[in-house]
Amino acid sequence: MANAWSSSCSSACHCHKASCDASRVAHSRSVHQRFQSTLTSNAPESIVSTSTPPREDTSGNGVVPTLPELVALRQAVAGRRPAQRGRFGVSGHALSPLRGRGMEYAESREYVAGDDARHIDWRLTARTGRAHTKLFQAERERLSLIVADTSPSLYFGTRVRFKSVQAARAGAVAAWAAVRDGDRIAALRGSQREAPIPPAAGPRGALRVLDALVRWYARPPEDDAGLGVALDHAQRLLRPGSRLVVLADPASIAALPAQRWPALAHHHEVIVLLLTDPLEVAPPKASLPFLGDSTVGMARDAHRIDVDLSVAAQRQAWRNEFGRPLEAALAQLPARGVRVQALSTQAESASWLPLLGRNRPLVA
């Protein structure tokens, strides 16, 4: 299969709705790198479904994210889960992974010299015949960090919206969930030049992150250094008990060494959202027309290339490129303590919220 393909979009793709030429260039660039493309005007009708699930918000065009679109997603978070509340009514903060003198009861252990006598667990002491003391869990402000993969392969889509737009929307949902939970919010991408969005609490912190997501996912950044660099930066910011939400293309996850995840998951709540498109996951058994780009000197030559996915060899090559990285991530990451979900371009952007807040062992 040729690596120098670029797409020619049709009315079946959301590209035709965009008025921004930069979006079209970004879309073409993503196809050039990883076979990804939308359909041409004479593509088979079977490629594009005539029915799509209802969208929870239609203010965006599906090609580039907009700030009003991301702000509106706050409604998708409201009412999903109440903020955590301490024993004495202190709300909005996460439980610290460190046990000591706090407000929320954690466990009891045998009394040792120097323990506060006021915290003796009298019931357990009477039941066992040995003095026990209560340990409490302090509440503290948690950091929610959003790591944005800006691989060119994300700036593409055939259903409802681009994968890049879905990534921005999922990141916005994570930011508003952090506001709801009383967390400080930060965000970063793989770049050696751009500094992370610094942690801040409340709607003001969320809006800073949303503004960054709009910039990062409007077009592929020229200085993208990869998801590995982004995770390196993230490790410097995270503290035990933080929440880490990674927005990534499955191919970016496949490029990372597997040993990176257990250390992160041992100390933090780690969630990975894999951005997918239906054309990647379930391509039609048909011939897909593409336009190949080649540049000779200052002249640019475009020629048609047909990829016949009814041929077993071509279909297997397609599956190796798009299907296997997704399957491997879904199978391997949970075994390393990471919560993972595939998020299609046609799915509800807040559908991954049930991953938040599941019980996990405390880390000292």
Side-chain angles (χ1 to χ4, degrees), residues 29 148-152 155 189-196 215-216 219-227 229-230 233:
R29 194 177 300 165
D149 177 23
T150 52
S151 167
Y155 300 78
R189 65 179 181 89
S191 172
Q192 302 289 6
R193 296 187 298 182
E194 184 175 358
R215 288 189 289 104
W216 296 342
R219 59 186 60 84
E222 295 180 358
D223 64 334
D224 177 53
L227 184 59
V229 171
H233 295 334

mmCIF file of all heavy atoms in Angstrom, residues 29 148-152 155 189-196 215-216 219-227 229-230 233:
data_model
loop_
_atom_site.group_PDB
_atom_site.id
_atom_site.type_symbol
_atom_site.label_atom_id
_atom_site.label_comp_id
_atom_site.label_asym_id
_atom_site.label_seq_id
_atom_site.Cartn_x
_atom_site.Cartn_y
_atom_site.Cartn_z
ATOM 1 N N ARG A 29 -3.050 15.817 5.614
ATOM 2 C CA ARG A 29 -1.775 15.440 6.210
ATOM 3 C C ARG A 29 -1.903 14.167 7.033
ATOM 4 O O ARG A 29 -1.020 13.323 7.053
ATOM 5 C CB ARG A 29 -1.273 16.584 7.086
ATOM 6 C CG ARG A 29 0.175 16.452 7.482
ATOM 7 C CD ARG A 29 0.600 17.669 8.273
ATOM 8 N NE ARG A 29 0.431 18.871 7.477
ATOM 9 C CZ ARG A 29 0.450 20.095 8.008
ATOM 10 N NH1 ARG A 29 0.611 20.247 9.300
ATOM 11 N NH2 ARG A 29 0.289 21.137 7.238
ATOM 12 N N ALA A 148 -2.875 15.270 26.099
ATOM 13 C CA ALA A 148 -3.466 15.278 24.758
ATOM 14 C C ALA A 148 -2.461 14.770 23.733
ATOM 15 O O ALA A 148 -1.398 15.378 23.546
ATOM 16 C CB ALA A 148 -3.933 16.688 24.403
ATOM 17 N N ASP A 149 -2.778 13.669 23.107
ATOM 18 C CA ASP A 149 -2.004 13.185 21.957
ATOM 19 C C ASP A 149 -2.387 14.036 20.756
ATOM 20 O O ASP A 149 -3.575 14.200 20.449
ATOM 21 C CB ASP A 149 -2.332 11.713 21.715
ATOM 22 C CG ASP A 149 -1.616 11.143 20.497
ATOM 23 O OD1 ASP A 149 -0.573 11.694 20.110
ATOM 24 O OD2 ASP A 149 -2.094 10.120 19.961
ATOM 25 N N THR A 150 -1.388 14.610 20.067
ATOM 26 C CA THR A 150 -1.671 15.441 18.890
ATOM 27 C C THR A 150 -1.049 14.831 17.639
ATOM 28 O O THR A 150 -0.553 15.534 16.762
ATOM 29 C CB THR A 150 -1.177 16.882 19.100
ATOM 30 O OG1 THR A 150 0.199 16.865 19.521
ATOM 31 C CG2 THR A 150 -2.009 17.591 20.158
ATOM 32 N N SER A 151 -1.087 13.506 17.563
ATOM 33 C CA SER A 151 -0.602 12.820 16.375
ATOM 34 C C SER A 151 -1.423 13.218 15.150
ATOM 35 O O SER A 151 -2.652 13.381 15.245
ATOM 36 C CB SER A 151 -0.704 11.311 16.590
ATOM 37 O OG SER A 151 -0.522 10.612 15.369
ATOM 38 N N PRO A 152 -0.793 13.413 13.983
ATOM 39 C CA PRO A 152 -1.556 13.784 12.780
ATOM 40 C C PRO A 152 -2.663 12.801 12.423
ATOM 41 O O PRO A 152 -3.634 13.167 11.753
ATOM 42 C CB PRO A 152 -0.479 13.822 11.687
ATOM 43 C CG PRO A 152 0.788 14.115 12.412
ATOM 44 C CD PRO A 152 0.662 13.414 13.731
ATOM 45 N N TYR A 155 -6.503 13.764 13.065
ATOM 46 C CA TYR A 155 -7.222 14.843 12.380
ATOM 47 C C TYR A 155 -7.924 14.272 11.154
ATOM 48 O O TYR A 155 -7.595 14.559 10.001
ATOM 49 C CB TYR A 155 -6.248 15.973 12.036
ATOM 50 C CG TYR A 155 -5.615 16.546 13.284
ATOM 51 C CD1 TYR A 155 -4.574 15.879 13.926
ATOM 52 C CD2 TYR A 155 -6.091 17.725 13.856
ATOM 53 C CE1 TYR A 155 -4.015 16.370 15.090
ATOM 54 C CE2 TYR A 155 -5.537 18.231 15.021
ATOM 55 C CZ TYR A 155 -4.506 17.542 15.634
ATOM 56 O OH TYR A 155 -3.952 18.042 16.800
ATOM 57 N N ARG A 189 0.577 18.641 26.163
ATOM 58 C CA ARG A 189 0.736 17.796 24.978
ATOM 59 C C ARG A 189 2.221 17.521 24.794
ATOM 60 O O ARG A 189 3.068 18.061 25.519
ATOM 61 C CB ARG A 189 0.160 18.475 23.734
ATOM 62 C CG ARG A 189 0.895 19.751 23.316
ATOM 63 C CD ARG A 189 0.283 20.366 22.070
ATOM 64 N NE ARG A 189 0.984 21.569 21.643
ATOM 65 C CZ ARG A 189 2.023 21.568 20.806
ATOM 66 N NH1 ARG A 189 2.481 20.424 20.329
ATOM 67 N NH2 ARG A 189 2.608 22.689 20.448
ATOM 68 N N GLY A 190 2.552 16.666 23.814
ATOM 69 C CA GLY A 190 3.947 16.329 23.565
ATOM 70 C C GLY A 190 4.642 17.428 22.798
ATOM 71 O O GLY A 190 4.544 17.503 21.574
ATOM 72 N N SER A 191 5.322 18.299 23.514
ATOM 73 C CA SER A 191 6.020 19.419 22.887
ATOM 74 C C SER A 191 7.247 19.773 23.716
ATOM 75 O O SER A 191 7.199 19.759 24.944
ATOM 76 C CB SER A 191 5.093 20.639 22.776
ATOM 77 O OG SER A 191 5.812 21.785 22.329
ATOM 78 N N GLN A 192 8.330 20.110 23.028
ATOM 79 C CA GLN A 192 9.533 20.575 23.710
ATOM 80 C C GLN A 192 9.542 22.086 23.860
ATOM 81 O O GLN A 192 10.415 22.637 24.532
ATOM 82 C CB GLN A 192 10.787 20.139 22.921
ATOM 83 C CG GLN A 192 10.910 18.637 22.716
ATOM 84 C CD GLN A 192 11.250 17.894 23.992
ATOM 85 O OE1 GLN A 192 11.296 18.479 25.081
ATOM 86 N NE2 GLN A 192 11.484 16.587 23.888
ATOM 87 N N ARG A 193 8.563 22.764 23.262
ATOM 88 C CA ARG A 193 8.546 24.227 23.302
ATOM 89 C C ARG A 193 7.394 24.805 24.109
ATOM 90 O O ARG A 193 7.568 25.811 24.790
ATOM 91 C CB ARG A 193 8.471 24.789 21.865
ATOM 92 C CG ARG A 193 9.684 24.470 21.014
ATOM 93 C CD ARG A 193 9.648 25.192 19.682
ATOM 94 N NE ARG A 193 8.480 24.794 18.883
ATOM 95 C CZ ARG A 193 8.248 25.259 17.663
ATOM 96 N NH1 ARG A 193 9.079 26.131 17.107
ATOM 97 N NH2 ARG A 193 7.191 24.862 16.993
ATOM 98 N N GLU A 194 6.221 24.180 24.035
ATOM 99 C CA GLU A 194 5.054 24.724 24.722
ATOM 100 C C GLU A 194 4.952 24.177 26.140
ATOM 101 O O GLU A 194 4.987 22.968 26.356
ATOM 102 C CB GLU A 194 3.776 24.400 23.949
ATOM 103 C CG GLU A 194 2.534 25.022 24.576
ATOM 104 C CD GLU A 194 1.290 24.794 23.744
ATOM 105 O OE1 GLU A 194 1.396 24.187 22.654
ATOM 106 O OE2 GLU A 194 0.203 25.221 24.179
ATOM 107 N N ALA A 195 4.832 25.083 27.106
ATOM 108 C CA ALA A 195 4.720 24.675 28.504
ATOM 109 C C ALA A 195 3.328 24.126 28.789
ATOM 110 O O ALA A 195 2.358 24.453 28.102
ATOM 111 C CB ALA A 195 4.998 25.879 29.414
ATOM 112 N N PRO A 196 3.196 23.257 29.802
ATOM 113 C CA PRO A 196 1.868 22.746 30.173
ATOM 114 C C PRO A 196 0.955 23.865 30.658
ATOM 115 O O PRO A 196 1.424 24.928 31.111
ATOM 116 C CB PRO A 196 2.179 21.760 31.316
ATOM 117 C CG PRO A 196 3.620 21.413 31.162
ATOM 118 C CD PRO A 196 4.273 22.635 30.599
ATOM 119 N N ARG A 215 -7.053 24.997 20.576
ATOM 120 C CA ARG A 215 -5.850 25.308 19.789
ATOM 121 C C ARG A 215 -5.154 24.040 19.302
ATOM 122 O O ARG A 215 -4.771 23.944 18.131
ATOM 123 C CB ARG A 215 -4.867 26.134 20.622
ATOM 124 C CG ARG A 215 -5.297 27.567 20.878
ATOM 125 C CD ARG A 215 -4.188 28.375 21.517
ATOM 126 N NE ARG A 215 -3.934 27.992 22.906
ATOM 127 C CZ ARG A 215 -2.914 27.260 23.311
ATOM 128 N NH1 ARG A 215 -2.024 26.799 22.425
ATOM 129 N NH2 ARG A 215 -2.757 26.973 24.592
ATOM 130 N N TRP A 216 -5.005 23.080 20.193
ATOM 131 C CA TRP A 216 -4.249 21.878 19.853
ATOM 132 C C TRP A 216 -4.951 21.025 18.817
ATOM 133 O O TRP A 216 -4.290 20.374 17.995
ATOM 134 C CB TRP A 216 -4.002 21.047 21.113
ATOM 135 C CG TRP A 216 -3.143 21.740 22.125
ATOM 136 C CD1 TRP A 216 -2.324 22.811 21.924
ATOM 137 C CD2 TRP A 216 -3.037 21.407 23.524
ATOM 138 N NE1 TRP A 216 -1.706 23.165 23.104
ATOM 139 C CE2 TRP A 216 -2.126 22.322 24.102
ATOM 140 C CE3 TRP A 216 -3.611 20.430 24.336
ATOM 141 C CZ2 TRP A 216 -1.773 22.286 25.455
ATOM 142 C CZ3 TRP A 216 -3.272 20.391 25.679
ATOM 143 C CH2 TRP A 216 -2.362 21.310 26.232
ATOM 144 N N ARG A 219 -5.697 21.977 14.313
ATOM 145 C CA ARG A 219 -4.822 21.462 13.256
ATOM 146 C C ARG A 219 -3.631 20.788 13.918
ATOM 147 O O ARG A 219 -3.308 21.094 15.067
ATOM 148 C CB ARG A 219 -4.344 22.577 12.324
ATOM 149 C CG ARG A 219 -3.571 23.669 13.025
ATOM 150 C CD ARG A 219 -3.243 24.808 12.076
ATOM 151 N NE ARG A 219 -4.451 25.393 11.540
ATOM 152 C CZ ARG A 219 -5.157 26.337 12.175
ATOM 153 N NH1 ARG A 219 -4.791 26.767 13.368
ATOM 154 N NH2 ARG A 219 -6.240 26.832 11.626
ATOM 155 N N PRO A 220 -2.942 19.868 13.228
ATOM 156 C CA PRO A 220 -1.794 19.191 13.853
ATOM 157 C C PRO A 220 -0.690 20.181 14.185
ATOM 158 O O PRO A 220 -0.229 20.910 13.308
ATOM 159 C CB PRO A 220 -1.341 18.188 12.782
ATOM 160 C CG PRO A 220 -2.507 18.026 11.881
ATOM 161 C CD PRO A 220 -3.231 19.340 11.880
ATOM 162 N N PRO A 221 -0.250 20.262 15.437
ATOM 163 C CA PRO A 221 0.860 21.165 15.773
ATOM 164 C C PRO A 221 2.135 20.758 15.038
ATOM 165 O O PRO A 221 2.438 19.572 14.892
ATOM 166 C CB PRO A 221 1.020 20.989 17.294
ATOM 167 C CG PRO A 221 -0.289 20.424 17.757
ATOM 168 C CD PRO A 221 -0.794 19.589 16.630
ATOM 169 N N GLU A 222 2.876 21.739 14.578
ATOM 170 C CA GLU A 222 4.091 21.453 13.824
ATOM 171 C C GLU A 222 5.187 20.861 14.702
ATOM 172 O O GLU A 222 6.070 20.172 14.203
ATOM 173 C CB GLU A 222 4.593 22.735 13.148
ATOM 174 C CG GLU A 222 3.642 23.283 12.091
ATOM 175 C CD GLU A 222 4.173 24.551 11.443
ATOM 176 O OE1 GLU A 222 5.267 25.009 11.864
ATOM 177 O OE2 GLU A 222 3.515 25.068 10.530
ATOM 178 N N ASP A 223 5.138 21.140 16.001
ATOM 179 C CA ASP A 223 6.207 20.683 16.888
ATOM 180 C C ASP A 223 5.799 19.463 17.717
ATOM 181 O O ASP A 223 6.346 19.240 18.796
ATOM 182 C CB ASP A 223 6.644 21.816 17.820
ATOM 183 C CG ASP A 223 5.532 22.253 18.765
ATOM 184 O OD1 ASP A 223 4.353 22.066 18.405
ATOM 185 O OD2 ASP A 223 5.840 22.775 19.856
ATOM 186 N N ASP A 224 4.852 18.670 17.215
ATOM 187 C CA ASP A 224 4.420 17.493 17.972
ATOM 188 C C ASP A 224 5.589 16.549 18.190
ATOM 189 O O ASP A 224 6.229 16.102 17.242
ATOM 190 C CB ASP A 224 3.295 16.772 17.229
ATOM 191 C CG ASP A 224 2.867 15.500 17.931
ATOM 192 O OD1 ASP A 224 2.552 15.576 19.133
ATOM 193 O OD2 ASP A 224 2.856 14.440 17.282
ATOM 194 N N ALA A 225 5.865 16.236 19.457
ATOM 195 C CA ALA A 225 6.992 15.362 19.808
ATOM 196 C C ALA A 225 6.536 13.971 20.213
ATOM 197 O O ALA A 225 7.373 13.143 20.584
ATOM 198 C CB ALA A 225 7.804 15.994 20.940
ATOM 199 N N GLY A 226 5.256 13.702 20.180
ATOM 200 C CA GLY A 226 4.767 12.370 20.462
ATOM 201 C C GLY A 226 4.220 12.204 21.867
ATOM 202 O O GLY A 226 4.497 12.996 22.769
ATOM 203 N N LEU A 227 3.446 11.142 22.038
ATOM 204 C CA LEU A 227 2.807 10.871 23.324
ATOM 205 C C LEU A 227 3.832 10.510 24.390
ATOM 206 O O LEU A 227 3.629 10.791 25.575
ATOM 207 C CB LEU A 227 1.782 9.743 23.153
ATOM 208 C CG LEU A 227 0.949 9.383 24.375
ATOM 209 C CD1 LEU A 227 0.149 10.580 24.878
ATOM 210 C CD2 LEU A 227 0.013 8.224 24.066
ATOM 211 N N VAL A 229 6.795 11.790 24.937
ATOM 212 C CA VAL A 229 7.300 13.036 25.528
ATOM 213 C C VAL A 229 6.246 13.651 26.442
ATOM 214 O O VAL A 229 6.555 14.166 27.523
ATOM 215 C CB VAL A 229 7.718 14.026 24.419
ATOM 216 C CG1 VAL A 229 8.048 15.402 24.995
ATOM 217 C CG2 VAL A 229 8.908 13.483 23.649
ATOM 218 N N ALA A 230 4.981 13.589 26.031
ATOM 219 C CA ALA A 230 3.905 14.132 26.863
ATOM 220 C C ALA A 230 3.836 13.401 28.206
ATOM 221 O O ALA A 230 3.667 14.038 29.263
ATOM 222 C CB ALA A 230 2.564 14.015 26.128
ATOM 223 N N HIS A 233 6.615 14.556 30.529
ATOM 224 C CA HIS A 233 6.263 15.819 31.191
ATOM 225 C C HIS A 233 5.231 15.578 32.290
ATOM 226 O O HIS A 233 5.282 16.203 33.357
ATOM 227 C CB HIS A 233 5.715 16.820 30.169
ATOM 228 C CG HIS A 233 6.728 17.251 29.146
ATOM 229 N ND1 HIS A 233 8.075 17.244 29.384
ATOM 230 C CD2 HIS A 233 6.565 17.723 27.867
ATOM 231 C CE1 HIS A 233 8.724 17.681 28.297
ATOM 232 N NE2 HIS A 233 7.829 17.975 27.373
#
